[in-house]
Amino acid sequence: DQGNPDGNEGQGQLGGGSGSWQLDGRSMMPGYGTKIRDTKEEGIVVLNIWVDRNGKVTKVQPNLRESNTTSQYLINLAKNDVLNNFRFNGDPSAAISQRGKVRYVFQLK
């Protein structure tokens, strides 16, 4: 949400943990969201995401400053989940590439 305190947020459950997302003015499309159900490690992974006007995630980059782990296993798990399972509502008046965040809290069951 590029620092906008009024950005939209969403939350969900994953792998015994939780997650949230922030993308100003956008909402998650029904049926989309995390598909992670289990994990082998614990940690918090924050990803910066870029979304096009159609609501498709086009780029994902780890935000190591806000994460508490550098585990490639967790980072790749989160990145693949976002790229394959997240879709936001379209907005023809949005920037060509809008930036937001996704935060995963991985916990062992």
Side-chain angles (χ1 to χ4, degrees):
D1 70 3
Q2 298 186 18
N4 184 339
D6 298 323
N8 291 343
E9 295 186 21
Q11 297 187 347
Q13 295 296 312
L14 65 138
S18 61
S20 61
W21 53 269
Q22 297 175 324
L23 188 62
D24 187 30
R26 305 282 192 106
S27 58
M28 185 75 65
M29 294 294 291
Y32 287 89
T34 187
K35 302 291 187 243
I36 298 172
R37 298 291 173 247
D38 200 9
T39 181
K40 298 181 213 172
E41 297 178 19
E42 290 189 334
I44 296 172
V45 174
V46 177
L47 302 172
N48 294 325
I49 62 169
W50 286 262
V51 177
D52 67 16
R53 288 179 176 157
N54 296 320
K56 182 178 180 191
V57 178
T58 59
K59 181 179 173 185
V60 178
Q61 184 177 54
N63 181 329
L64 298 178
R65 191 179 68 195
E66 294 184 36
S67 300
N68 76 353
T69 182
T70 57
S71 165
Q72 282 303 294
Y73 166 76
L74 291 178
I75 290 170
N76 288 336
L77 189 64
K79 282 175 68 173
N80 288 331
D81 188 51
V82 169
L83 287 170
N84 294 315
N85 302 312
F86 280 43
R87 184 75 181 234
F88 297 90
N89 67 302
D91 183 355
S93 65
I96 292 172
S97 186
Q98 183 178 357
R99 185 171 165 231
K101 286 185 192 176
V102 177
R103 182 176 189 263
Y104 286 86
V105 180
F106 292 103
Q107 297 175 335
L108 297 174
K109 289 184 177 181

